[in-house]
Structures are given as C-alpha cells and as structure tokens.
C-alpha cells in the first residue's frame, strides 16, 4: 500500500476573508450592540468636552477614535451581510445546476412520449420514473435516503411502487383504509404535500415498521386526476429541509405530466 503523506494547506487571504465574513455575520448582533455602545460613549464624551472650559486634546482624540470605530464596525457589518447574500445566491445557483443535471434524463425521456404508441409510452413512463427516483437520490445528500415513485391502481385503492432508488428495502404498498385513514391516501385525496419529520411522533404512521423515520410525500396529480405518489424517506428524523421539499414537488410535477401523457388514448 502506498503511504500518503498529509500536506498542510496554507492559509490564504481568501481564507482569512471568508473567516472574517463568517465571524462578523455570526456575531452581527454583537457588532450592532458595540456600534450603539460606541456611539453612546462618544456622545457622553462629547457632552463632557462641551462642558469643559478648554477641551483637552485627549478627549478630542478619543471622540475621533470612537467615531472611526463606529464607522469600521458598520462597514464590517454591511460587508459581512453582502458576503452572506453572495453565498446564498451561489448556493442557489449550484442547486439549480445540480437539479438540471439530475433531472435532464427525465426531460429527455418525456420528450419522446407524445409521438409514441401506447406500449412505448408505458415503457417510457417506467424509465422516466426510474430516472426521477435516481435523480432525487443523487440530489438528496442524506444517509440512507430512498426515493420511490408509486402508481395508483385502476381501482384507486392501492398505491404500489413503480420505481425506487436508494436504501435496500423494497418499498411496501399503501392501501386505502377508513379507520384509521392512511396518511398517504389522505395527502393524495387532498392533493397536498405531506412532510413528517419524525414518524415516531405522529399517530397512524408506520414508518418505523418500514425502516424510515422521516419522509416527504408529494401527490402526482394532473388537474383532478390522481396518478400516484412520489416519496422520499430516510432512517433518521429531521433529515430533510424546505429546499428538499421544493425539489421533490418539482419532480412530482414532471412525473404528473409523464403519467398523463402515458394515459392518453391513441
């Protein structure tokens, strides 16, 4: 085995700037408090100077220094906020590129569906579902994540998986029931996204039995016609962010178009 000697990375000016921006932004409340405090001290000294018969030079110098301190703190605060905004915009841009790359195969397969026959549309629908599940798996940087595309059967009473990617367990099905109602079917009937951060804290949830503790469930619906459900789950509670929910919802909208195209009569 080749031994690799670790190399110490040199600290650059960019590293210093990034650290300084993060530190100032993290302590923005402290910076604002110091600014107000310095301004108040400056005003007190100013009053003291005005009451002196002859202002002393050190008092004048103190006022100048305090004024400069206030200005520097305000500049640092504004700079840190600007850096934070730039970081957010950069993160959003990187996410956009990642989503486009991950879901591009889905769009390319969907483009083939309108001119295809019924059997070919069905085959393409399966491929679209598999690519969507794989794309979400790559986008969600969560340990043990699994994405599943479910299809609603003709009776409208059972959701069975059409495609999935991620954790090894084969996804189970969801059956419509009334007492108690199945949360997945409730979300589908109401056409709303369901996000459960901890299935152990939600009555009626069976996530622990199925190997997950948190999930996102997004109905795949076009108009008033339900076609299925897209879910993303993970074994640890509170694994998903609002951004993850938005990405899942966007993917479900693409899937809804694919399902509706596949269901069209020749």
């Amino acid at each position: 085995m080749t031994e690799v000697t670790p190399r110490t990375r040199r600290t650059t000016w960019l590293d210093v700037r990034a650290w300084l921006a993060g530190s100032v932004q993290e302590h923005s409340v402290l910076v604002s408090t110091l600014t107000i405090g310095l301004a108040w001290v400056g005003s007190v000294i100013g009053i003291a100077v005005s009451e002196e018969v002859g202002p002393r030079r050190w008092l004048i110098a103190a006022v100048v220094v305090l004024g400069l301190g206030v200005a520097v703190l305000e500049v640092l605060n504004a700079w840190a906020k600007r850096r934070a905004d730039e970081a957010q915009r950069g993160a959003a841009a990187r996410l956009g590129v990642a989503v486009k790359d991950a879901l591009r195969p889905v769009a390319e397969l969907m483009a083939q569906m309108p001119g295809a026959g019924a059997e070919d549309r069905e085959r393409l629908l399966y491929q679209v579902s598999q690519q969507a599940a794989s794309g979400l798996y790559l986008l969600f940087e969560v340990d043990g994540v699994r994405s599943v595309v479910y299809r609603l059967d003709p009776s409208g009473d059972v959701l069975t998986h059409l495609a999935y990617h991620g954790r090894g367990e084969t996804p189970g099905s969801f059956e419509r029931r009334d007492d108690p109602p199945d949360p997945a079917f409730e979300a589908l009937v109401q056409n709303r996204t369901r996000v459960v951060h901890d299935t152990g804290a939600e009555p009626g949830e069976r996530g622990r039995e199925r190997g997950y503790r948190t999930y996102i469930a997004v109905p795949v619906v076009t108009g008033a016609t339900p076609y299925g459900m897209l879910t993303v789950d993970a074994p640890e509670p509170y694994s998903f962010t609002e951004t993850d929910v938005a990405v899942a919802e966007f993917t479900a909208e693409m899937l809804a178009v694919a399902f509706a195209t596949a269901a069209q009569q020749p």
Side-chain angles (χ1 to χ4, degrees):
M1 180 181 294
T2 304
E3 182 178 353
V4 179
T5 303
R7 296 177 60 187
T8 303
R9 182 173 175 270
R10 293 180 59 188
T11 302
T12 65
W13 170 236
L14 291 176
D15 297 325
V16 174
R17 289 201 308 170
W19 171 83
L20 183 59
S23 299
V24 174
Q25 183 66 19
E26 182 180 357
H27 301 93
S28 58
V29 174
L30 177 60
V31 170
S32 299
T33 303
L34 286 174
T35 301
I36 295 172
L38 287 174
W40 178 79
V41 172
S43 65
V44 172
I45 293 176
I47 294 172
V49 170
S50 63
E51 292 177 352
E52 290 285 339
V53 176
R56 300 175 182 175
R57 291 183 179 179
W58 70 268
L59 286 175
I60 296 175
V63 171
V64 171
V65 170
L66 286 172
L68 288 174
V70 169
V72 169
L73 286 174
E74 284 299 324
V75 169
L76 279 174
N77 207 14
W79 176 72
K81 289 179 180 178
R82 185 170 66 252
R83 291 278 301 191
D85 291 341
E86 291 173 356
Q88 290 178 353
R89 288 195 297 270
R94 289 191 296 272
L95 176 63
V97 171
V99 170
K100 183 180 70 174
D101 290 343
L103 298 181
R104 180 180 296 168
V106 176
E108 291 174 350
L109 288 167
M110 288 174 60
Q112 302 175 34
M113 295 182 70
E119 291 185 2
D120 288 335
R121 290 201 305 272
E122 188 67 21
R123 174 182 56 80
L124 287 167
L125 176 62
Y126 170 76
Q127 294 177 356
V128 164
S129 301
Q130 189 63 54
Q131 287 289 346
S134 301
L136 285 182
Y137 172 79
L138 294 174
L139 285 170
F140 283 44
E141 297 180 352
V142 175
D143 291 337
V145 70
R146 178 183 62 180
S147 54
V148 188
V149 179
Y150 288 92
R151 189 173 198 173
L152 186 65
D153 76 334
S155 70
D157 292 330
V158 182
L159 284 165
T160 55
H161 77 271
L162 180 60
Y164 73 97
H165 197 97
R167 216 170 51 253
E169 301 96 331
T170 301
S173 60
F174 295 96
E175 297 183 4
R176 187 191 296 272
R177 63 176 191 265
D178 296 325
D179 189 22
D182 187 276
F185 267 99
E186 280 191 309
L188 182 61
V189 170
Q190 297 171 10
N191 192 18
R192 61 177 176 80
T193 299
R194 180 173 176 81
V195 181
V196 176
H197 294 294
D198 186 357
T199 58
E202 293 287 336
E205 291 289 350
R206 296 179 294 168
R208 279 189 172 181
E209 304 170 12
R210 301 184 174 190
Y212 58 86
R213 289 288 304 276
T214 184
Y215 71 84
I216 304 167
V218 188
V220 177
V221 176
T222 299
T225 305
Y227 292 104
M229 182 82 71
L230 172 66
T231 67
V232 187
D233 60 63
E236 292 297 326
Y238 294 91
S239 294
F240 301 123
T241 66
E242 293 182 3
T243 301
D244 295 331
V245 176
V247 171
E249 290 176 333
F250 175 74
T251 307
E253 290 177 2
M254 295 182 69
L255 286 168
V257 175
F259 272 89
T261 305
Q264 288 177 352
Q265 298 299 320

